[in-house]
Structures are given as structure tokens and as C-alpha cells.
Amino acid sequence: MRSFLFLTPALAGASAILYQSTPSCKSTPLDSLWPSEDDWASLNTTIKGSLLRTIPAASACWHGNPFGSTISCETATDKWFNGTWHSQQPESIDYQIYANNTCLPKDTAGYSAERGCSIRAFPQFIVNATEEAHVAYAMKWASDRDIRVVVKGTGHDLNGRSSGAYALAIWTRNFNDIKRDTAWTPLNSNDSTAEDVFVVGSGQQWGNVLSLAMSQGRVVTTGQDPSVGLGGYIQGGGHGPLSRTYGLASNQVLQLTVATATGKVLIANAMQNQDLFWALRGGGPGQYGVVTEYVIKHYPAPSNVTLGILGIKPRFSTNVSHEASWTTAAAFLGHLPDLMDAQLAGAATVSTGNAAPKFFPDLASQQPFHGVALNQVFWAFNTTPAAVEALLRPVIAELNPGNSSNSSVAISLSISTFDNYTAFFSVISGDNAAGGESVTSSRLLGRRELVDTPQLDIVRYLKIAMASQNSTEGTYATIGLQGGPGVRNTHEERWGALLPAWRTAYLHFISTGATSDSVAAGSPKKALGDAAKWYEETREPMWRKWAPGSGAYMNEANPFNKNFAEDYYGEGYERLRSIKAKYDPKESLFVLAGVGSDAWEYDLDTGRLCRVQNSTTTA
Ligand SMILES: Cc1cc2nc3c(=O)[nH]c(=O)nc-3n(C[C@H](O)[C@H](O)[C@H](O)COP(=O)(O)OP(=O)(O)OC[C@H]3O[C@@H](n4cnc5c(N)ncnc54)[C@H](O)[C@@H]3O)c2cc1C
Ligand SMILES: *[C@@H]1O[C@H](CO)[C@@H](O)[C@H](O)[C@H]1NC(C)=O
Ligand SMILES: *[C@@H]1O[C@H](CO)[C@@H](O)[C@H](O)[C@H]1NC(C)=O
Ligand SMILES: *[C@@H]1O[C@H](CO)[C@@H](O)[C@H](O)[C@H]1NC(C)=O
Ligand SMILES: *[C@@H]1O[C@H](CO)[C@@H](O)[C@H](O)[C@H]1NC(C)=O
Ligand SMILES: *[C@@H]1O[C@H](CO)[C@@H](O)[C@H](O)[C@H]1NC(C)=O
Ligand SMILES: *[C@@H]1O[C@H](CO)[C@@H](O)[C@H](O)[C@H]1NC(C)=O
Ligand SMILES: *[C@@H]1O[C@H](CO)[C@@H](O)[C@H](O)[C@H]1NC(C)=O
Ligand SMILES: *[C@@H]1O[C@H](CO)[C@@H](O)[C@H](O)[C@H]1NC(C)=O
Ligand SMILES: *[C@@H]1O[C@H](CO)[C@@H](O)[C@H](O)[C@H]1NC(C)=O
Ligand SMILES: *[C@@H]1O[C@H](CO)[C@@H](O)[C@H](O)[C@H]1NC(C)=O
Ligand SMILES: *[C@@H]1O[C@H](CO)[C@@H](O)[C@H](O)[C@H]1NC(C)=O
Ligand SMILES: *[C@@H]1O[C@H](CO)[C@@H](O)[C@H](O)[C@H]1NC(C)=O
């Protein structure tokens, strides 16, 4: 049983060493105020021995196994591209470029022998937490000492937000209870209306929650891969196969248990700590506190799922054919809002250049490839293949009149059906690859962008969205059909701090294309900086022009976007700032593109996190 322990004054007093001044940088082991070994040991004692010293997962691959890892180099090498495995390691993250690519196994992205194996760019210590009170105590202890605090659930984060140099990490994996409560009422509520909910530890991964739900004929709003965790996914929004139908994951939360950097364990729901309740539903992960438990809604499992796969590609290796594929793809996007309103959801992959044959092998014969290829997977619940086909046939007929064998563009369609949601989910998921080095840039697109914008403009924007910094290499994008009616119709009280632009969004367009090769660039800092610069000059201005005043889904967006406050948080930003100031007054919980993060500069070379100094300020 979980105990809602609040810290006793005696326990809180132990960390009352006063650090009155507000230094301009977070502390590092190079600083005189960094706690001594004895101090860390006493923290460890207070939190019942749950403190771990960081041991990089692949450090056994380095001379002398410098940190005494018990994981063999063979295992680490073998599992390096497996995100599920990284989620099981206390410190490891999927995208190690954000931990400065040290201690990597050979032959992995970012590996270079010179980089060596040091833990400078990692959290120095990790709380392997099982008790809320320990999390609250450790966070306050670190905050009082100006030590940065980071939170790791699975480590899946695309933007390095679950790691940080010289930080204390809170690892939530062992908050892993899952139970169904068919007559749940919020704590301290006078409302007698009971809800049927799942109560889930924040360190859980969605696949486990879905399996339990499915065994009871229910579904939950997971992401598309079972290994994604509840923690950061929910706090950023959380889209998946059901969001078109029921809204985002943050819209399903009825209560959270939160440990704060001020040393408290709080219950946040519609009745109490409403500010925190609001912020943690879409206002950004890893910034206001550590959620240990979520209470979430669930829904009846669909009795069957129809899957449609629609492909669009140039038929011939000619410029006319390649150009026609762009026009057709643009026109196709214009049909998606109606199709989604009618009943379809799904995800598409769009590819160009050398990347295209990875998705459409026959395009290897069309090199150099100047066209675009689009593979759209649609799904619909409790319907029939005939009904789905009836929605798609008129669209195909309009895009490619007559379907003649000499038309410039080839459109294919195949439809299948699944007897149950589990079988469907296993087919659409499984791309749990870790170990890459890419930076994404994304935007939420609605009818205004897809339907009301002249097609010539859409083609122009699409070409920029699909451009690659290395033009022969090409690139790919993922388009999620995750907005639409389920999101739009979410009641105001279930909305929280989620970006309002989601209300009018149909598509979540995630683009790539910036080169980020830390070995070629010389360092992760340089590689990320170059990618950031290229996006800021090309991609982000295009999004702002195509979709002004819209925004992006912060969990899958460019962490270096200068306009992040408006684009990822929108009109709630100032309120979020004040909530953060209340629960994290020392700004211990820094993440890239986080609320107030522009007051700080994180340097991957030095590992230092410092307040931005105005040039006029005398230090
Ligand atoms: C294979 C894969 C598939 C994905 N599919 C989808 C998808 O279908 N839909 C979608 O919306 N997104 C998807 N994502 C993106 C996903 O939303 C982000 O990676 C998200 O950060 C995952 O959250 P996490 O808790 O699993 O990861 P982590 O890396 O552990 O955490 C991410 C962020 O959340 C914070 N955080 C984690 N737990 C807590 C907590 N308990 N309290 C406070 N802060 C916390 C961390 O500090 C960090 O800032 C996918 C990512 C991957 C790698
Ligand atoms: C914390 O204490 C436990 C139990 O005594 C011990 O196993 C662990 O090594 C300690 N952690 C650190 C960082 O010393
Ligand atoms: C990934 O690693 C996990 C945990 O070690 C393992 O269970 C799973 O089978 C691995 N997946 C693949 C595709 O190898
Ligand atoms: C973390 O804590 C859990 C629960 O106490 C324990 O089973 C696990 O072995 C610990 N992990 C590490 C790496 O110490
Ligand atoms: C619940 O009832 C008590 C006593 O009547 C009252 O003081 C309290 O304000 C009520 N709480 C809510 C959330 O309505
Ligand atoms: C086809 O397009 C390529 C690049 O867009 C261009 O270099 C080439 O000249 C074009 N060929 C013709 C016949 O127009
Ligand atoms: C799927 O379920 C719906 C609604 O229950 C039903 O009408 C339809 O016939 C089913 N489709 C298939 C292919 O079984
Ligand atoms: C092929 O194209 C020509 C000219 O555009 C057209 O006349 C002919 O009908 C087309 N063939 C088929 C099979 O559609
Ligand atoms: C177009 O025609 C071809 C045969 O020429 C057929 O195989 C294909 O399925 C048709 N495409 C669609 C979308 O109907
Ligand atoms: C789900 O459907 C698949 C195949 O469509 C079948 O193999 C599996 O047994 C079904 N599972 C349940 C729980 O009905
Ligand atoms: C661009 O990509 C191609 C193919 O992957 C590669 O051969 C080439 O070296 C790259 N060019 C640059 C400038 O990086
Ligand atoms: C990060 O990597 C760069 C390049 O190898 C190195 O110069 C720098 O010292 C590293 N910084 C940290 C904090 O590990
Ligand atoms: C830094 O300078 C900017 C612009 O001159 C100003 O708005 C801001 O308040 C200053 N910040 C600090 C901390 O002095």
C-alpha cells in the first residue's frame, strides 16, 4: 500500500543547511559547495539506501570497466538499439547525444574512441525511488544545494529531457502498481459520483496497462509503442491510436500524486492543488514535480478494427511524374480532415531522396528521386472494410482520375480487418528503436492549413518540410492523424494546460532532415547547435508561415525552437511560469524548451547549467 507520508519537521530539518545566495550556476562536483561523500551517504541513509551512483550502461566496453559495471559489453552492444532495454537501466536514455555520447559501445551513432567514458555529462546520482516521501526529500535536499534535478521514467525522451549533466536523477520505474478501481472518488471530494478508473504508477509503460485493460475488455489512451511510459507522455499531452476518438492522454487524468522540489507530497485533482493539476495535464513534463501516480479514465475496447493502407508514389522516373507526386500528396492531405471527421485515424510516413526506397523498395529504380512517397495507414473501429473503402474510393478517384496505368502517380489501397484491438495494436507498434542522433521539428495542422491554403502553397511548404540538409540523402516525416473530433470535443475541465492549438488540429506533422552527426561535427554540442541553426533558418519559419498561431506537440518537437513558449505552451505560458515558481522556486527542474528555460543556458561541453547573463550585467 502506498502511504501518503508528509515529511515530519525533523526530517525536513535535516536539509535546512542554508545556502542563502542564489548562485548563477547549478552546482557541480568542481564547486566547493558540492556535497561531500558523507553528505551523499547521509542522504542515502535518509532515503533508505535507494541512492545509486551512476554507472553508464555500456561502460564495461571501456578500458578497465571504469565504473565497475555489472552489464557486459556484449549485452550493452547487443541491446543498444533497443529502447525497452534502455528503459530498464537507471541512467540510460534512448538518445545519448544528450548525455554527450560518452561511454558508448563501438559502432553506434556518435561513437568515437577519443570521447572516452566519463560520467560528467550524466546525473551523478540516481534515486531508485519506491516511496513518494523519499522523492520529495531528495528533491528538496538537492534544490537546497543548487543541484539540478532530472526525472527519468523510461528515458525515451527525444530531447534529452530525462537526463542532465551533474544532476540528481529521480528514477520512477519502480512506481509501477496498476489497479482498476471501479468506484473511485477523488480524495477529499464531497461528490458521490464514482468513476471507473485505472490507478497506475508513473513509471509504468503503456503496454502493461493496455494488457491489463484489454483482459477486462477495456482500452487506455496509449502511445503507438508499448514501451512508452506514462510519466512524460501524459504531461506533454500524449497522442496515440485512440486520441482521434477520445482525446489525448492528458485529457484522461482525474488525479495525480506529486512529489515537489519544495519537499511535499501532494494530491492534485479538481478539488485540491488545482494549479498543479492543471499544469501537469499538458503543461510539460519534468518541470513542476515528480508524478508518482496517475488516476486515468478508460474506455470499452472496440470489437474490431479495420486497417486501410494507402500508398502514393510517382509511377515513372521522370520529372513530370515526380512533380505530380508532390501535387497529389498535397491534395491528399486536404482530404484528411473530412476523413477524420467521418471516422478514420491513423499515421503516415512520407519520404524523399535516398530515404524513400527504405519505405518503398521499388523506388530504388527511380534515382535520383525528386518526388515524394507517402504511405498512409488508416484505422477505424467497429466498422467494416466496405465502409472504410467507401470513404476512400472517392478520394482516390479524385486524386487519380481513372486510375489509368499511364497516369503519373500510382495509388494503391489494401484493407484488412482485426478481430480485436490487441491484434491491431501489435501490428501498428513495435518501432522502439533507440540509439539515433536526429533532431525533429514539428507542427500541428488544421483545416486552415490543409484545406483553405492554395495547393501551390501547400506543395511549396511540403517541399521545405521534406527538405534535407544533405539533399541526396533525403529524409522522412511522420504524420499523425491524432487531432480531430476526440480532441476538439474534450470538455474544458478535462483540458488542463494542454496547448489550445490541439483543439483545431487534425495532423501532427513531425519532420526531420537536419544533419546531426556528432562525430563529423566534433562534439554533440556542435552537432545539436548546427541542427538547431538549420531548423531556425529554414524549417521553423516555414511552419510559422504555413500555420501562424498554431503550435507543436512539445514531446515530439524541436527543443531548440526559439519560439517554444508560444508554440508549445501557448496562452497558458504565464500561468505555468507562476505555478512553476511556486512548486520549483529554485528552478531545479530544468529541461530544454521548458517553462522559463530561456533564463538558463545548458552547455553540453562543460556540463554547466547557468543563468543567462545579460552582457551589460557586471558579474
Ligand atoms: C519508441 C517511441 C514511441 C513514441 N510514441 C509516441 C506516441 O505514440 N505518442 C506520443 O505522444 N509520444 C510518443 N513518443 C514520444 C514520447 O511522448 C516522449 O518520448 C515522452 O518523453 C516519453 O515519456 P517517458 O516518461 O516514457 O520518457 P522519459 O524520457 O523517461 O521522460 C520524458 C520527460 O518526462 C519527464 N518525466 C518522466 N516521468 C516523469 C514523472 N513521473 N514526473 C515528472 N516528469 C516525468 C522527464 O523528466 C522528461 O522530461 C514516442 C517515443 C518513443 C521513443
Ligand atoms: C546507498 O545505500 C545502499 C544500502 O546501504 C548501498 O547499497 C548503496 O551503495 C548506497 N549508495 C551509494 C551511492 O553509496
Ligand atoms: C529488447 O530488450 C528487452 C529487454 O531486455 C527484451 O525483452 C526484448 O526482447 C528486446 N527486443 C528486441 C527486439 O530484441
Ligand atoms: C531499484 O529498486 C528496486 C525496488 O527496490 C529493486 O528491485 C532494484 O533492484 C533496484 N535497482 C537497482 C539498479 O538497484
Ligand atoms: C465538502 O464539504 C465540507 C463540509 O461540508 C466543506 O467544508 C468543503 O468545502 C466541501 N468541499 C468541497 C470540495 O466541496
Ligand atoms: C529534372 O529535374 C532535375 C532536378 O530537379 C533537373 O536537374 C533536370 O534538369 C530536370 N530534367 C528535365 C528534363 O527537366
Ligand atoms: C465490427 O463491429 C461492428 C460493430 O459491432 C459490426 O457492425 C461489424 O460488422 C464488425 N465488422 C466485422 C468485420 O466484423
Ligand atoms: C494513356 O494516356 C493517353 C494520353 O494521355 C490516353 O489517351 C490513354 O487513354 C491512356 N491510357 C490508358 C490505359 O488510360
Ligand atoms: C489501379 O489500377 C490497378 C490496375 O491497373 C489496380 O491494381 C489498383 O488496385 C488500382 N488502384 C486503386 C486505388 O484502385
Ligand atoms: C485477437 O485476434 C487475433 C487474430 O486476429 C487472435 O489470434 C487472438 O487470439 C485474438 N485475441 C483475443 C484476446 O481474442
Ligand atoms: C550526403 O549523403 C550522402 C549519402 O548518404 C553521402 O555520401 C555524402 O557524403 C553526404 N554529404 C555530405 C556533405 O555530408
Ligand atoms: C562533451 O564532449 C566533448 C567532445 O568530446 C568534450 O570536449 C566535453 O568535455 C564533454 N563534456 C562533458 C561534460 O562530458
Ligand atoms: C536582461 O536584459 C533583458 C533585455 O535588456 C531584460 O529584459 C531582462 O530583464 C534582463 N534580465 C536580467 C536578469 O537582468
Side-chain angles (χ1 to χ4, degrees):
M1 259 316 287
R2 185 167 303 286
S3 56
F4 296 112
L5 258 190
F6 288 81
L7 293 177
T8 63
L11 203 53
S15 61
I17 304 161
L18 293 178
Y19 293 90
Q20 294 282 19
S21 65
T22 308
S24 59
C25 295
K26 291 297 172 194
S27 189
T28 78
L30 308 171
D31 301 318
S32 58
L33 287 180
W34 183 259
S36 67
E37 286 297 311
D38 282 354
D39 293 335
W40 286 104
S42 99
L43 168 64
N44 193 15
T45 304
T46 309
I47 61 174
K48 300 285 188 291
S50 60
L51 191 69
L52 309 175
R53 199 181 294 269
T54 296
I55 301 174
S59 51
C61 297
W62 292 82
H63 181 70
N65 187 11
F67 302 99
S69 177
T70 54
I71 299 167
S72 73
C73 180
E74 291 67 34
T75 300
T77 305
D78 183 46
K79 298 282 192 175
W80 201 250
F81 301 101
N82 177 338
T84 301
W85 182 78
H86 286 282
S87 73
Q88 294 163 350
Q89 315 310 323
E91 96 304 338
S92 207
I93 56 173
D94 283 14
Y95 300 97
Q96 298 264 339
I97 190 170
Y98 289 101
N100 211 32
N101 282 337
T102 66
C103 309
L104 301 187
K106 270 199 187 109
D107 302 323
T108 57
Y111 173 84
S112 93
E114 299 88 78
R115 198 142 297 150
C117 180
S118 120
I119 63 162
R120 290 195 301 137
F122 285 100
Q124 305 295 292
F125 292 91
I126 300 159
V127 179
N128 178 14
T130 54
E131 298 277 339
E132 280 109 358
H134 294 169
V135 176
Y137 181 84
M139 289 171 78
K140 182 166 189 320
W141 186 93
S143 280
D144 284 346
R145 289 160 179 76
D146 288 305
I147 294 172
R148 179 178 176 187
V149 178
V150 298
V151 194
K152 181 192 164 184
T154 64
H156 272 19
D157 200 66
L158 311 184
N159 295 336
R161 296 176 303 178
S162 34
S163 190
Y166 302 128
L168 172 68
I170 309 294
W171 187 34
T172 60
R173 183 174 180 79
N174 291 302
F175 290 107
N176 57 10
D177 292 353
I178 314 178
K179 62 174 194 280
R180 181 165 173 189
D181 185 342
T182 55
W184 177 86
T185 51
L187 199 76
N188 295 351
S189 162
N190 298 346
D191 186 351
S192 58
T193 333
E195 294 239 21
D196 185 355
V197 300
F198 278 101
V199 181
V200 188
S202 69
Q204 264 298 352
Q205 286 165 291
W206 279 110
N208 298 331
V209 190
L210 182 62
S211 294
L212 181 67
M214 279 300 297
S215 73
Q216 304 177 6
R218 311 296 295 179
V219 287
V220 284
T221 54
T222 71
Q224 220 177 302
D225 191 280
S227 68
V228 174
L230 272 72
Y233 168 88
I234 292 180
Q235 291 169 43
H239 65 73
L242 294 167
S243 45
R244 175 233 161 262
T245 310
Y246 297 121
L248 300 187
S250 58
N251 301 144
Q252 318 306 330
V253 177
L254 300 175
Q255 178 172 295
L256 317 112
T257 306
V258 194
T260 68
T262 51
K264 297 199 170 109
V265 178
L266 303 172
I267 304 292
N269 59 33
M271 257 65 66
Q272 56 181 318
N273 298 305
Q274 293 94 334
D275 52 359
L276 208 44
F277 183 54
W278 179 80
L280 287 165
R281 289 175 299 148
Q287 307 182 35
Y288 311 97
V290 175
V291 174
T292 56
E293 184 181 274
Y294 289 102
V295 176
I296 56 171
K297 291 172 77 79
H298 54 92
Y299 297 94
S303 56
N304 59 53
V305 187
T306 298
L307 200 76
I309 302 182
L310 186 151
I312 298 176
K313 64 187 175 189
R315 197 186 294 271
F316 308 111
S317 192
T318 62
N319 283 2
V320 167
S321 193
H322 285 179
E323 197 52 38
S325 64
W326 288 102
T327 318
T328 306
F332 171 72
L333 297 182
H335 286 284
L336 291 176
D338 282 348
L339 291 173
M340 288 177 70
D341 281 346
Q343 100 177 113
L344 303 186
T349 310
V350 194
S351 53
T352 57
N354 286 348
K358 290 179 197 152
F359 301 94
F360 293 88
D362 58 316
L363 292 176
S365 66
Q366 292 198 18
Q367 297 300 328
F369 184 63
H370 301 296
V372 66
L374 188 151
N375 188 57
Q376 171 71 58
V377 178
F378 285 113
W379 50 78
F381 307 119
N382 300 335
T383 183
T384 61
V388 170
E389 187 161 354
L391 289 172
L392 295 175
R393 282 289 166 200
V395 171
I396 292 170
E398 196 182 313
L399 295 175
N400 197 1
N403 183 28
S404 102
S405 58
N406 61 6
S407 62
S408 294
V409 171
I411 301 184
S412 57
L413 178 67
S414 66
I415 298 188
S416 56
T417 172
F418 294 88
D419 298 342
N420 56 59
Y421 190 84
T422 307
F424 152 75
F425 188 72
S426 70
V427 165
I428 62 158
S429 68
D431 184 20
N432 176 24
E437 287 206 310
S438 74
V439 181
T440 64
S441 163
S442 69
R443 200 76 173 177
L444 296 171
L445 305 174
R447 278 187 184 273
R448 185 187 53 181
E449 290 78 29
L450 303 165
V451 182
D452 304 336
T453 298
Q455 204 178 89
L456 276 176
D457 291 338
I458 298 182
V459 168
R460 219 156 31 81
Y461 295 135
L462 261 187
K463 285 183 173 174
I464 298 171
M466 298 304 302
S468 177
Q469 208 170 352
N470 175 336
S471 60
T472 49
E473 214 161 57
T475 192
Y476 72 95
T478 305
I479 305 180
L481 280 59
Q482 281 125 357
V487 178
R488 182 170 67 233
N489 298 331
T490 295
H491 288 298
E492 189 52 47
E493 74 271 11
R494 291 211 278 118
W495 193 262
L498 184 68
L499 180 72
W502 270 107
R503 284 236 189 246
T504 49
Y506 283 87
L507 307 186
H508 162 40
F509 194 129
I510 315 174
S511 71
T512 59
T515 302
S516 52
D517 178 337
S518 65
V519 177
S523 71
K525 176 184 171 177
K526 179 78 169 41
L528 292 170
D530 290 350
K533 182 163 183 283
W534 189 71
Y535 279 146
E536 205 62 45
E537 286 166 2
T538 59
R539 192 70 49 87
E540 299 296 340
M542 179 280 294
W543 292 133
R544 287 168 202 144
K545 192 147 187 251
W546 186 7
S550 178
Y553 171 45
M554 70 173 85
N555 280 353
E556 295 172 320
N558 171 7
F560 307 107
N561 173 7
K562 293 211 159 49
N563 207 37
F564 73 88
E566 183 188 340
D567 288 350
Y568 307 163
Y569 302 87
E571 64 196 33
Y573 190 73
E574 286 309 317
R575 189 171 162 205
L576 289 170
R577 275 175 78 102
S578 66
I579 294 169
K580 182 170 172 68
K582 177 171 164 194
Y583 294 101
D584 180 24
K586 300 206 66 178
E587 299 176 70
S588 304
L589 292 159
F590 168 89
V591 295
L592 289 176
V595 166
S597 60
D598 51 350
W600 296 85
E601 188 174 347
Y602 178 39
D603 184 330
L604 259 185
D605 273 350
T606 62
R608 286 201 174 262
L609 175 62
C610 296
R611 277 188 193 284
V612 175
Q613 297 290 329
N614 278 344
S615 50
T616 51
T617 310
T618 48

